[in-house]
Amino acid sequence: MRGRTNNLTIGERVAWYRYRRGLSQEVLAGLIGRTADWLGKIENNRIELDRLSVIKSLAEVLDVSLGDLLGEPGLLDWNGDSGTTTVPALRAALMNYRALGPFSGGPETGPSSVAVLRKEVEALWDAYQDSRFAYVTGRLPELLHRAQAATDHHDGDDQDQARRLLGLTYQLAATQLTKLGESDLAWIAADRGLTAVRPTGDPLIIGSLLRSVGHALHATGRYSEAVRLTEDAASYLEPHLKHATPALLSVYGTLFLSGSMAAARANDAATTRTFLAAADHAAGKLGADANHLWTAFGPTNVVIHRVATAAELGDLQVAIDLGPRVDTAGLPMERRVRHALEVARAYSSWNRLDDAQAVLLDAEQMAPEQVRHHFLSRQLALTWVRRQRGKPSAELVGLAQRLKVLD
């Protein structure tokens, strides 16, 4: 499907698949409890379709994946950071049979020391939080190879440390692949990470990886399962919280933030509120914004998720009242830009298109790769173009072209 519907809005993709399934608007709308008039407005871009719970319902009835309607995965552009090595090389690394059995064979120069490997893992996680997606994707295959070699070579405490670092590298792969719309590969990476770190029994790294499993479930529209995972993961971590480090408290709180998004996308407002309250309590105990184990967890991230979950639940009043007032300047770029997309969505839903476009353009300036690879930015830009009664402005056309939704 990649490339065939890149220039369609989500509503237009719904129509495209509906025709292929031989369904009338009346039949498809009835199957999801909506009216044909509503569906007609969706397909003609008169109503924005940006709530994932609704998109998932349509995908299920049309028997397509959530990614098919969102237009994912997108092709990762070659640039100075990536060269000509992107997702296929990472896919090959994840499908390396040596990771499945008792095989050895590290780099010819010998395995990295734990200290060197730790610096490499930290540097690549930092690059991810700076929204340098191509840079991270291009370097993950070799880092996975070196981390696996270190795990195979070392023993004792060094081996446990190498396993933790291998788990964190797999988690980074899962996180990055989710951002790129490669949900199946993200699931493989998260599973491999848990397998690598389980022998250590380290609740901090295991809990961190469980968050990535939740993200992989989100990406495939399995929201109810992601909610259950949040509950199970929290139960696993709770016995370790009596003397929790700030890092463990951050991982615990971030699990609830991820779960709150899953609950909102499952249209479960009560569980969304429960998870946000649990995250808020953890943030209060932490005391301030922090970035332990690259969680960007703290009071500000909790507020960001209040905005995002409100938008998913259709409570645009909360999103528009709270979203623009959140000061994200102290957070990593990835978090700042993700929140900006929510603010742009809220403005657009309230027909404040100039404000919405300004926010999206600012976000693109800060992190062009991240904006390019999120369905919200692509959907917003293309919908704005479609709704123009006259000729779209050069600025809007340029944005849509850079997001690869307009030729």
Side-chain angles (χ1 to χ4, degrees), residues 106-123:
E108 293 181 4
T109 56
S112 301
S113 70
V114 170
V116 169
L117 186 61
R118 180 176 290 107
K119 288 181 179 178
E120 293 173 337
V121 172
E122 290 173 351

Side-chain angles (χ1 to χ4, degrees), residues 319-332:
I320 199 69
D321 287 348
L322 183 58
R325 295 190 285 112
V326 180
D327 181 3
T328 62
L331 297 184

Side-chain angles (χ1 to χ4, degrees), residues 348-383:
S348 183
S349 297
W350 277 59
N351 208 32
R352 293 172 58 179
L353 300 186
D354 289 343
D355 290 329
Q357 187 173 322
V359 170
L360 188 53
L361 285 168
D362 285 345
E364 186 198 23
Q365 287 241 315
M366 292 190 291
E369 289 179 89
Q370 183 176 352
V371 171
R372 158 84 170 86
H373 285 282
H374 201 284
F375 88 93
L376 268 180
S377 50
R378 300 194 304 266
Q379 169 74 2
L380 288 171
L382 189 53
T383 300

Side-chain angles (χ1 to χ4, degrees), residues 66-226:
L66 182 63
D68 286 330
L69 289 188
L70 297 180
E72 294 181 332
L75 189 66
L76 187 61
D77 293 335
W78 289 342
N79 60 29
D81 276 344
S82 70
T84 57
T85 303
T86 59
V87 173
L90 184 50
R91 177 182 290 109
L94 290 172
M95 299 181 71
N96 181 3
Y97 73 90
R98 291 186 179 277
L100 302 178
F103 306 105
S104 60
E108 293 181 4
T109 56
S112 301
S113 70
V114 170
V116 169
L117 186 61
R118 180 176 290 107
K119 288 181 179 178
E120 293 173 337
V121 172
E122 290 173 351
L124 215 55
W125 265 103
D126 289 344
Y128 165 78
Q129 288 198 319
D130 285 338
S131 298
R132 298 175 63 191
F133 288 1
Y135 179 89
V136 172
T137 304
R139 282 154 182 79
L140 268 170
E142 182 59 26
L143 183 58
L144 282 169
H145 182 56
R146 288 200 299 275
Q148 183 66 60
T151 300
D152 293 340
H153 173 80
H154 294 297
D155 54 22
D157 183 64
D158 279 351
Q159 185 180 61
D160 279 349
Q161 292 297 327
R163 282 175 172 151
R164 291 182 178 94
L165 292 168
L166 177 59
L168 287 172
T169 306
Y170 274 121
Q171 183 186 358
L172 177 56
T175 303
Q176 181 64 89
L177 287 164
T178 300
K179 291 288 189 185
L180 299 177
E182 298 281 357
S183 54
D184 292 341
L185 288 178
W187 178 267
I188 292 171
D191 178 70
R192 291 280 181 83
L194 282 170
T195 300
V197 79
R198 192 172 289 120
T200 71
D202 186 337
L204 176 65
I205 308 300
I206 291 173
S208 188
L209 273 155
L210 287 171
R211 177 166 54 103
S212 289
V213 175
H215 289 157
L217 290 170
H218 288 187
T220 53
R222 295 159 68 186
Y223 305 131
S224 296
E225 290 180 56

Side-chain angles (χ1 to χ4, degrees), residues 125-126 128-130 171 208 211 215 246-247 249-255 257 279 283 286 288-305 326-338:
W125 265 103
D126 289 344
Y128 165 78
Q129 288 198 319
D130 285 338
Q171 183 186 358
S208 188
R211 177 166 54 103
H215 289 157
L249 194 59
S250 297
V251 167
Y252 180 74
T254 307
L255 273 169
L257 292 184
L286 189 64
D289 292 331
N291 194 27
H292 299 291
L293 214 66
W294 303 280
T295 56
F297 183 70
T300 302
N301 209 350
V302 174
V303 178
I304 284 175
H305 279 76
V326 180
D327 181 3
T328 62
L331 297 184
M333 183 63 69
E334 185 275 332
R335 286 287 79 204
R336 294 173 61 191
V337 170
R338 181 65 187 86

